[in-house]
Amino acid sequence: MAVDLTPRQPTKAYGGEGGAYYEWSPAELPMLGVASIGAAKLSLAAGGMSLPSYSDSAKVAYVLQGKGTCGIVLPEATKEKVVGIKEGDALALPFGVVTWWHNTPDSATDLVVLFLGDTSKGHKPGQFTNFQLTGSTGIFTGFSTEFVGRAWDLKEPDAAKLVSSQPASGIVKLAAGQKLPEPVAADRKDMALNCLEAKLDVDIPNGGRVVVLNTVNLPLVKEVGLGADLVRIDAHSMCSPGFSCDSAYQVTYIVRGSGRVQVVGPDGKRVLETRIEGGSLFIVPRFHVVSKIADASGMEWFSIITTPNPIFSHLAGKTSVWKAISSELLEAAFNTTPEMEKLFRSKRTDSEIFFAPN
């Protein structure tokens, strides 16, 4: 049975004065459930804070807009890491990590963070389940005051007061003057990589640029089990048709710009042809071939791939499979003439992955 691949926008799950949490549902984007991938977005207003929580899934976080602070407590750590974050930062968040997020009170813009991750070991395939540590839906609201008091060595009235003192759920707006820990420069090491400032893995003039997250430049990617990349292509440029060689799904969020996308599957069947624009998310099934062409505004997207060190095979350009195949085989496979084979082989000899408009 064919699965609907249509790109979707997220829906608001909860929020208030401090901000909102949005998520993509496998009911609306079925490939999330098929691929066991979760996708969500956190938007914090000035002074907004996402209360401490952990998730049932390993994730990659990408800062889409603004700047602020992320608190991270790794499993068995004795001290939190307080990381200053800004647009373009990517963070790998393994299982068991407790995080909180904060937008500075004087910020002129919302802090917006994208989360993409593997839900194969989670409660709901295709959707994150977050466990709040405090607030009206916090874990300890479910324990009796006897258990909480024993756990924290508090008298039961004090335990009950502490657990019920935060009436909000998930996201709050801090009172004016309330202080939080300041970012520590050393805490960024191996925790965050800014994709807008990192060394480019691919740079094609008038075509596009790529930064790849992997186990070398962001070691925690190995624990998360996902690879990721940020791709920016210029006006009317094309991203070469290609596929993941290692049985991986590719989950793509359009950061900004717009364009067209086509995806082709078995038997040469085009399974998706549509326009894509900023804020939309879509998933490419395993071994399917995908290609994109940007509009006049260009296009930028952030993707995760369900393997930490992904390998792609391209079907156009100087690094494509066609350049490796012999002339005789190409003639026979296409059932074409030597003249057409020579014409075909003479094209795209200096273009790699991205093709600028003629």
Side-chain angles (χ1 to χ4, degrees):
M1 184 174 66
V3 178
D4 183 8
L5 302 181
T6 305
R8 302 290 184 188
Q9 298 275 344
T11 57
K12 183 177 177 180
Y14 60 85
E17 187 182 4
Y21 181 82
Y22 303 84
E23 59 186 6
W24 283 265
S25 166
E28 296 182 352
L29 188 56
M31 275 302 300
L32 289 171
V34 173
S36 290
I37 292 293
K41 192 160 61 171
L42 173 68
S43 179
L44 294 177
M49 182 178 79
S50 175
L51 295 172
S53 67
Y54 65 93
S55 177
D56 65 350
S57 306
K59 306 173 184 176
V60 172
Y62 182 72
V63 182
L64 297 168
Q65 175 185 297
K67 60 181 180 179
T69 305
C70 174
I72 301 173
V73 182
L74 296 169
E76 300 184 335
T78 57
K79 190 176 185 298
E80 69 181 344
K81 292 181 180 291
V82 184
V83 180
I85 55 173
K86 63 181 180 178
E87 181 178 342
D89 277 349
L91 302 90
L93 305 173
F95 282 111
V97 168
V98 172
T99 61
W100 55 265
W101 306 79
H102 177 238
N103 190 7
T104 55
D106 57 352
S107 175
T109 61
D110 288 355
L111 172 64
V112 184
V113 184
L114 174 72
F115 300 97
L116 301 174
D118 176 13
T119 65
S120 60
K121 297 179 181 178
H123 287 262
K124 305 172 187 175
Q127 196 164 10
F128 299 132
T129 300
N130 298 319
F131 295 81
Q132 305 294 330
L133 297 189
T134 65
S136 61
T137 57
I139 290 295
F140 287 94
T141 62
F143 282 104
S144 67
T145 53
E146 176 195 0
F147 272 59
V148 176
R150 285 285 299 275
W152 292 346
D153 192 23
L154 292 173
K155 293 179 180 180
E156 287 191 29
D158 292 332
K161 182 178 180 180
L162 184 59
V163 169
S164 63
S165 60
Q166 176 55 270
S169 174
I171 297 173
V172 300
K173 184 162 185 175
L174 298 183
Q178 189 165 2
K179 300 293 185 182
L180 287 179
E182 291 292 328
V184 178
D187 286 352
R188 274 187 67 91
K189 180 176 172 57
D190 294 336
M191 296 303 302
L193 175 75
N194 190 277
C195 297
L196 300 177
E197 300 173 355
K199 179 182 176 182
L200 295 173
D201 293 280
V202 176
D203 185 7
I204 308 296
N206 301 315
R209 291 150 295 286
V210 182
V211 170
V212 178
L213 274 67
N214 52 42
T215 55
V216 176
N217 55 20
L218 195 60
L220 281 177
V221 162
K222 182 177 182 180
E223 293 187 40
V224 172
L226 302 168
D229 58 26
L230 178 70
V231 180
R232 290 167 284 170
I233 62 174
D234 297 323
H236 303 299
S237 288
M238 180 184 199
C239 182
S240 167
F243 64 95
S244 170
C245 303
D246 36 19
S247 188
Y249 292 96
Q250 186 175 355
V251 186
T252 298
Y253 174 85
I254 306 301
V255 177
R256 57 178 56 87
S258 60
R260 292 175 290 145
V261 61
Q262 291 186 359
V263 178
V264 176
D267 301 320
K269 183 178 179 182
R270 190 183 308 154
V271 294
L272 178 66
E273 180 177 18
T274 190
R275 292 196 76 260
I276 45 179
E277 57 186 15
S280 60
L281 182 104
F282 70 99
I283 300 175
V284 179
R286 292 180 295 180
F287 299 112
H288 284 50
V289 178
V290 59
S291 182
K292 309 177 191 73
I293 297 178
D295 289 338
S297 60
M299 189 159 52
E300 178 178 335
W301 63 86
F302 184 81
S303 298
I304 65 164
I305 303 93
T306 56
T307 181
N309 292 297
I311 301 173
F312 287 94
S313 181
H314 293 279
L315 300 179
K318 70 177 184 180
T319 59
S320 75
V321 64
W322 301 119
K323 302 305 183 187
I325 286 178
S326 66
S327 301
E328 295 82 0
L329 192 284
L330 197 151
E331 283 182 36
F334 277 113
N335 189 29
T336 191
T337 64
E339 292 75 22
M340 179 58 72
E341 186 279 330
K342 289 179 181 178
L343 175 65
F344 178 73
R345 191 176 295 276
S346 70
K347 302 296 184 179
R348 298 292 185 208
T349 57
D350 58 354
S351 302
E352 179 182 356
I353 302 180
F354 303 123
F355 310 136
N358 294 328

